[in-house]
Amino acid sequence: MYLSKLPINTLKEVPADAEVVSHQLMLRAGLIRRLASGLYTWLPLGRRVLHKVERIIREEMDRAGALEISMPVVQPAELWQESTRWDAYGPELLRIKDRHQRDFCLGPTHEEVVTDIARNELKSYRQLPVNYYQIGTKFRDEIRPRFGVMRAREFVMKDAYSFHLDEESLLEGYRVMREAYKRIFDRLGLEYRIVQADTGAIGGSRSEEFQVLAASGEDVIAYCDEDGFAGNVEIVDLPPPNTPRPAPSESMTLVETPGVGSIEALASFLGVPPEKCLKTLLVRGTESPAVALYLRGDHELNAVKAQRLPGVATPLTMLRPAEVEALGSVAGFIGPVGLDIPAYVDQYAVPLADFVCGANRADYHYRGVNWDRDVKLPEVADLRNAVAGDPSPGGGGKLSIARGIEVGQIFQLGDKYSRAMGATVLDAEGKPRIMQMGCYGIGVTRVVAAAIEQNHDERGIIWPDPIAPFDVIVIPINMDKSEQVRKATEETYAKLRDAGFEALVDDRPQRPGFKFADADLIGIPHRVVISDKGLDEGRCEYKSRRSPDVEMVPLDSISEVIAARRRG
RNA sequence: CGGGGUGUAGCUCAGUCUGGUAGAGCACUGCGUUCGGGACGCAGGGGCCGUAGGUUCAAAUCCUAUCACCCCGACCA
């Protein structure tokens, strides 16, 4: 491909509303353009990368025995009502009506549709197991789309669904997919970690996520190098603390704390550490208007754990200030003393003695508060997020914390959908059996962003070889003037193509520096510069995007040189 | 959903406070010079100043409404 025929509009300046590098570089390199919030057009260069990612995924899915299908983006409400997710999914499910006023939605995922297919197409245990997959567009009406293609509303996903006669087969299918995913992410050149995960809106029993390690990641993962444990902090169960509660040594006193409505402010105002404070969170309840959750001041509530508690409404919803006042308290000054509502206390807040907490009165806190003596200890639960240094659930040591971008997730669904939708096959005895299901997703568009987060420098993107939009860029110097350069460029291009490389020739009438800068920005892994200087010795210049070194190589061996330096 | 912010050329942004001919840089077009790390000169094209009302002799600028986008928060006790 000649650049004179491929309009790329690179930007020198960083677009104002892009905050993470991958988003900035994708915009600057002309991979994507924003159409509306969370909606992006993929321009030629970006689309090529997407194709490469899709191809690798397709090859590995096929190798693992999965069958490619294609399901509609628009789905009828009936199917979602059958699985009960029409009501359960929430506002992320974009609902639309057709001209006959019939309800439809834009598919955020395809369990319902694929289960419908399976129950109609699969009749006998002899046909199982089957794994259907597709690569296609999903729509989720995200509460806050951000980071460009990383959390978009419309995105490309590879989703696969496996159907099994029994759990044993499901486990085997899950294992096969897990291996396929490892191959995929290895081939994509990503540094990732497999972590235990919450099953969320999809449901099912066991689930793992493939997390690409990146500081800009939205997920927090906890891992322990000693015992091999790795999990999304959402699901890390913490063992109970083994510290005893000291005896009370202070008496409970009311202190004036004007305008001090946060733990941080409270700690500095009173000169006590946050871990000596008790934070009170009020959330909606199912049996009562509110449920109180008590945590140590330096700990964070874990929403997944809180939602599991009996009496706590799902999704977890914090009370608004007006609702707090209706309960006789004041936002910013809530505390357990005199608050007569259902409550849970985090196990790590139980050993607190002589602690500080809100007085349920504007601008006042209590200090010297003690469980049992001043306020009854509520039911104890595991409520908080793990932090670095916590004991690992694996039993072998302390947890470390890292950030990750979730690029894939695999689930053992069980019979959640197949039971609700009556997806059965006849077993060897001729009796109907509900199929066991697994489901397996990869965020294809997100993989592109994640790859950039892990592979860039101050000049631009550095594509891993397997997903680069082009393998090599040929930059002729002074092609307009030098017939020698023009000829060598055309010959080199043909030679590279014959050797199986996707080559891009920058034949634009620009100065060399301009072309080098663009080549670096769009991140083509291998660069060949052709100039009179080199041609006089029968050589051209080779440079890898990953290395600062340039080397002069014989013109007729350039294909071999690149082949030798290519990875993956 | 709550709070904050921003809407002026394709992009980055001035101009708005204090109403009076719509600007700069980048990008784009033409010509010339230049030609190994985002060149320079000259000449150009391009804006319903988000939208709708209002105030005024006069509105990008003041007022009202509305829409869009961005950020923060929703973990604050």
Side-chain angles (χ1 to χ4, degrees), chain A residues 275-295:
Chain A
E275 55 267 30
K276 292 283 284 178
C277 300
L278 184 79
K279 84 161 72 160
T280 307
L281 274 15
L282 295 182
V283 300
R284 294 242 166 88
T286 50
E287 313 295 322
S288 54
V291 174
L293 305 174
Y294 302 117
L295 293 159

Side-chain angles (χ1 to χ4, degrees), chain A residues 216-512:
Chain A
S216 59
E218 293 187 279
D219 288 1
V220 178
I221 61 184
Y223 61 94
C224 174
D225 287 327
E226 289 100 272
D227 64 16
F229 173 84
N232 193 309
V233 278
E234 290 175 349
I235 57 94
V236 177
D237 291 324
L238 292 168
N242 48 17
T243 39
R245 180 158 70 226
S249 64
E250 299 174 24
S251 54
M252 184 170 93
T253 50
L254 189 65
V255 288
E256 193 171 0
T257 50
V260 180
S262 72
I263 288 287
E264 201 181 320
L266 183 65
S268 69
F269 183 83
L270 293 177
V272 292
E275 55 267 30
K276 292 283 284 178
C277 300
L278 184 79
K279 84 161 72 160
T280 307
L281 274 15
L282 295 182
V283 300
R284 294 242 166 88
T286 50
E287 313 295 322
S288 54
V291 174
L293 305 174
Y294 302 117
L295 293 159
R296 222 171 72 181
D298 57 328
H299 288 151
E300 281 184 354
L301 179 68
N302 178 308
V304 171
K305 292 177 182 177
Q307 283 175 169
R308 283 203 295 251
L309 299 169
V312 170
T314 305
L316 189 73
T317 312
M318 306 303 277
L319 259 50
R320 298 180 191 191
E323 296 170 308
V324 175
E325 278 170 39
L327 288 167
S329 190
V330 185
F333 301 91
I334 313 176
V337 182
L339 193 67
D340 188 22
I341 58 170
Y344 292 94
V345 60
D346 179 68
Q347 52 188 355
Y348 283 81
V350 174
L352 284 179
D354 301 324
F355 58 82
V356 177
C357 65
N360 298 314
R361 181 178 162 191
D363 300 334
Y364 283 93
H365 281 79
Y366 285 116
R367 59 188 309 170
V369 184
N370 284 275
W371 294 118
D372 298 328
R373 187 191 71 182
D374 305 313
V375 58
K376 186 172 156 285
L377 186 71
E379 191 171 334
V380 178
D382 178 11
L383 291 180
R384 69 171 175 92
N385 278 339
V387 295
D390 275 332
S392 166
K398 289 186 186 314
L399 290 175
S400 300
I401 298 289
R403 292 199 149 260
I405 300 166
E406 182 203 329
V407 289
Q409 186 167 15
I410 54 181
F411 299 79
Q412 290 169 18
L413 279 180
D415 62 4
K416 173 174 173 173
Y417 297 91
S418 45
R419 182 178 292 278
M421 296 178 62
T424 60
V425 290
L426 295 182
D427 64 14
E429 277 90 54
K431 295 201 181 103
R433 294 255 302 255
I434 293 169
M435 287 185 277
Q436 294 288 311
M437 291 175 61
C439 95
Y440 321 90
I442 293 179
V444 181
T445 37
R446 186 181 280 179
V447 159
V448 177
I452 295 172
E453 290 290 331
Q454 273 190 352
N455 298 282
H456 68 270
D457 63 13
E458 63 291 339
R459 298 178 200 269
I461 300 167
I462 307 174
W463 291 113
D465 278 298
I467 61 173
F470 289 92
D471 300 314
V472 44
I473 184 163
V474 179
I475 300 181
I477 305 290
N478 219 3
M479 187 170 81
D480 296 330
K481 294 254 177 67
S482 166
E483 186 54 30
Q484 175 182 228
V485 169
R486 167 179 293 282
K487 217 170 137 246
T489 299
E490 284 166 5
E491 285 168 7
T492 303
Y493 176 57
K495 212 179 305 169
L496 287 167
R497 283 212 315 186
D498 290 345
F501 292 109
E502 292 174 345
L504 189 61
V505 179
D506 193 348
D507 59 339
R508 297 175 298 176
Q510 292 287 355
R511 296 156 63 94

